[in-house]
Amino acid sequence: MPKLQPINKLKGFKDVLPEDYVYWNHVLAVADEVMLSGGFDRIDLPTMEKEDLYNRTTGEETDVVGKEMYTFDTSRMIGSKDKKKDKDENIVALRPEITPSMVRAYIENGMQTWPKPISLFTIGKCYRHENPQGGRYREFTQLDAEVFGEEDAAIDASLISLVWDIFQRLKMNDIEVHINSIGCTECKPRIKKMLVDYFKKKQSKLCEDCKKRLKKNPLRILDCKNERCQSTIAGAPVTIDNICEECKKHLMSVLEYLDEMGVSYNLTPNLVRGLDYYNRTVFEVTGKDDRRQNALAGGGRYDYLIEQMGGEPSPAIGFGLGIDRTVDFLKNNNIRIPKPKSKVNIFMIQLGEDAKKIALKKTRELRKMDLSTGIAIGKDTIKSQLRAADKVNALFSVIIGQREAVTNSAIIRDMRDGVQETVELEDLNGRLLNMVEERIKEEEEYKKKAKSK
Ligand SMILES: [Zn+2]
Ligand SMILES: [Zn+2]
């Protein structure tokens, strides 16, 4: 047979292999812990929604919706029977961000009537068909959190402090929080007009994208990463100098509460975030001294979005935190994570057909007792199986050879010092349970002592 070409993964997608998964596990566990301790409830939402949802929330003029969204016409799918039946059911999109689904779920599930504020979070995959470079992936995992029903600045500050806590607990110290206010329905139009007046005069100096933004959403020019636009942006009117009194008061309160909670931040006048729906507080967390790189987390207030989506008017604020980027940050900065506990307590070693049958049966019994087990079926010598047990850091090995199979016994080997004992098969499970429990207790005491030193 001619050698076949293997099929590789899609560009911008990635596999998370065991050596990276320990980072993933750690980040996800910390995120979950901090959010739950902050009084947030976990929910889960579909990764696919009607395309219209994103057109109406994220905004058709944003890069996210305009250029990067994975959309499908399901009526054109092979074998599809939905042709023309329900047009808006047919055009679907993989979610490029989670906030729109959160807002949809809030309205659709009647959360308006729940006691306020409602604090929800979820962790899941998002998709953006953008250029996969510099820590950007086309499939990525986000922690998304939203608070519905409260406009008090204390909510903004406590939400930002939660993001901060997640990174602190991950020992990511070289990061900084950026905050800005982009105004409300009162003052945002005025700011927009000032920016249009300013940038119109300098149009020839702007990049192609910014020329388009000038017509559609001039605020976003401030966020342009293109080198060409930087000097023009630097001279633009500053949003926080031009927001209304109410917005100024709100921003000052957010900052005051953050000071009170000991969260350090930078007031960053050019921060606007790429999405259309934000008002007042916007924030981002990035690596230190590097606002140009990808944000680790970002969010803001969106007090008008729920009404715009057909719900009862209600203030809201939220953030997204990139799990992939956080994992990359930990690895790139050599930040140590806690060593994962030994995954395998007991490793089964067998020789001969009868022994293999006994070993398989015992493995299943031990798993039922919540003892994690490993077995190397394909390896034919005891020596190679012992090596496999070593490799997975097993606490104990159980050796069943031909003689043990005949005499209904087994050898337990302590993998720490190689000491062995022979037990009757019927006593094996009980003896192992005792030994594992004792070992775990020993390790915990050792850890306690090490901590108290
Ligand atoms: Zn305002
Ligand atoms: Zn530009």
Side-chain angles (χ1 to χ4, degrees):
M1 197 160 107
K3 195 168 181 341
L4 296 173
Q5 256 330 314
I7 297 173
N8 295 331
K9 59 183 181 298
L10 290 167
K11 197 174 149 195
F13 286 67
K14 68 167 185 298
D15 302 318
V16 179
L17 301 179
E19 61 183 61
D20 275 356
Y21 209 81
V22 292
Y23 286 93
W24 277 79
N25 248 342
H26 181 53
V27 172
L28 292 173
V30 166
D32 207 57
E33 228 175 80
V34 172
M35 295 317 293
L36 289 173
S37 70
F40 280 67
D41 289 316
R42 169 119 192 205
I43 64 168
D44 216 1
L45 301 167
T47 44
M48 200 186 265
E49 301 263 8
K50 293 174 185 171
E51 185 198 22
D52 252 356
L53 177 65
Y54 305 105
N55 295 342
R56 278 173 62 187
T57 52
T58 314
E60 283 179 272
E61 306 308 335
T62 60
D63 288 352
V64 174
V65 169
K67 293 193 218 161
E68 298 164 358
M69 204 154 63
Y70 283 89
T71 53
F72 310 92
D73 181 349
T74 58
S75 69
R76 296 176 61 184
M77 275 163 59
I78 300 163
S80 169
K81 291 197 176 91
D82 323 320
K83 282 190 182 86
K84 281 184 195 155
K85 230 190 280 160
D86 186 352
K87 259 196 177 152
D88 78 315
E89 280 274 344
N90 284 344
I91 314 294
V92 298
L94 289 175
R95 61 181 178 197
E97 55 149 345
I98 303 181
T99 303
S101 301
M102 280 282 207
V103 171
R104 182 207 38 78
Y106 169 87
I107 298 169
E108 192 168 350
N109 296 293
M111 294 186 201
Q112 282 109 306
T113 60
W114 295 11
K116 302 280 165 33
I118 300 166
S119 307
L120 301 172
F121 81 105
T122 189
I123 299 174
K125 302 260 188 207
C126 296
Y127 299 84
R128 287 186 197 179
H129 194 267
E130 60 182 338
N131 212 5
Q133 47 173 266
R136 283 172 186 259
Y137 303 102
R138 288 181 169 175
E139 181 187 61
F140 54 98
T141 301
Q142 285 238 298
L143 158 66
D144 182 273
E146 315 287 342
V147 182
F148 297 105
E150 187 52 74
E151 60 180 341
D152 195 309
I155 294 284
D156 307 42
S158 64
L159 198 68
I160 294 168
S161 80
L162 278 176
V163 182
W164 183 250
D165 284 348
I166 291 173
F167 292 129
Q168 289 291 299
R169 216 178 279 192
L170 291 169
K171 303 200 168 21
M172 290 164 62
N173 299 317
D174 282 342
I175 55 159
E176 49 194 12
V177 178
H178 300 271
I179 302 183
N180 192 20
S181 174
I182 55 170
C184 61
T185 41
E186 279 284 305
C187 53
K188 205 174 169 185
R190 199 171 63 226
I191 295 167
K192 268 190 184 174
K193 191 173 174 304
M194 286 174 70
L195 289 172
V196 170
D197 291 345
Y198 170 82
F199 284 118
K200 248 191 186 153
K201 282 181 216 144
K202 317 245 172 192
Q203 203 165 356
S204 60
K205 289 184 181 163
L206 294 174
C207 73
E208 288 313 305
D209 282 336
C210 282
K211 278 177 192 154
K212 277 182 219 148
R213 285 171 187 146
L214 190 52
K215 290 191 196 101
K216 310 285 190 189
N217 191 349
L219 222 62
R220 291 197 41 246
I221 297 175
L222 297 175
D223 209 26
C224 181
K225 302 278 191 282
N226 196 319
E227 205 48 58
R228 192 174 151 186
C229 301
Q230 298 313 309
S231 64
T232 315
I233 291 169
V238 175
T239 56
I240 38 176
D241 292 345
N242 295 292
I243 53 179
C244 69
E245 277 312 306
E246 280 302 302
C247 285
K248 230 173 247 176
K249 239 191 260 167
H250 192 270
L251 176 65
M252 287 310 135
S253 304
V254 175
L255 302 184
E256 237 170 75
Y257 291 130
L258 285 174
D259 287 333
E260 206 60 51
M261 287 189 284
V263 176
S264 43
Y265 55 81
N266 298 347
L267 202 54
T268 305
N270 281 349
L271 179 66
V272 290
R273 307 277 307 147
L275 312 173
D276 280 354
Y277 48 67
Y278 287 124
N279 66 289
R280 284 196 172 158
T281 313
V282 286
F283 62 95
E284 239 172 47
V285 180
T286 62
K288 219 169 218 164
D289 305 321
D290 200 4
R291 258 271 290 139
R292 308 292 307 282
Q293 75 177 24
N294 297 318
L296 294 159
R301 212 163 241 298
Y302 51 94
D303 295 330
Y304 317 116
L305 184 60
I306 294 168
E307 186 179 12
Q308 212 176 296
M309 290 302 295
E312 301 277 323
S314 166
I317 182 169
F319 74 83
L321 184 153
I323 304 290
D324 310 67
R325 288 178 189 174
T326 304
V327 167
D328 287 348
F329 190 97
L330 290 175
K331 287 172 62 190
N332 295 340
N333 291 281
N334 297 315
I335 295 171
R336 294 261 293 273
I337 58 165
K339 221 175 137 195
K341 284 182 210 133
S342 168
K343 281 168 293 184
V344 174
N345 295 327
I346 296 153
F347 202 88
M348 279 288 177
I349 291 170
Q350 32 70 40
L351 201 65
E353 195 53 35
D354 290 336
K356 190 195 272 183
K357 281 181 192 152
I358 297 170
L360 284 173
K361 186 169 163 241
K362 285 288 160 195
T363 304
R364 183 150 180 265
E365 286 173 13
L366 292 168
R367 271 205 307 264
K368 274 192 190 158
M369 295 160 64
D370 270 341
L371 290 170
S372 59
T373 55
I375 188 163
I377 290 294
K379 298 222 164 44
D380 46 6
T381 67
I382 292 206
K383 212 171 157 193
S384 64
Q385 293 181 59
L386 272 172
R387 260 203 306 272
D390 244 344
K391 224 176 142 188
V392 295
N393 280 324
L395 300 177
F396 303 99
S397 283
V398 172
I399 303 166
I400 305 173
Q402 273 143 342
R403 193 178 47 200
E404 285 76 26
V406 173
T407 57
N408 276 322
S409 60
I411 299 166
I412 301 175
R413 181 187 174 94
D414 189 332
M415 295 302 287
R416 197 166 55 177
D417 48 21
V419 171
Q420 300 193 159
E421 66 175 82
T422 303
V423 295
E424 305 262 324
L425 261 191
E426 57 178 330
D427 300 331
L428 179 68
N429 298 357
R431 179 74 186 121
L432 280 171
L433 186 64
N434 280 338
M435 289 171 90
V436 169
E437 278 177 349
E438 224 167 85
R439 180 61 55 83
I440 288 171
K441 216 191 279 166
E442 248 173 58
E443 280 178 3
E444 272 166 10
E445 262 160 38
Y446 177 80
K447 255 190 234 156
K448 246 189 242 158
K449 261 189 209 156
K451 245 189 199 167
S452 65
K453 260 178 199 169

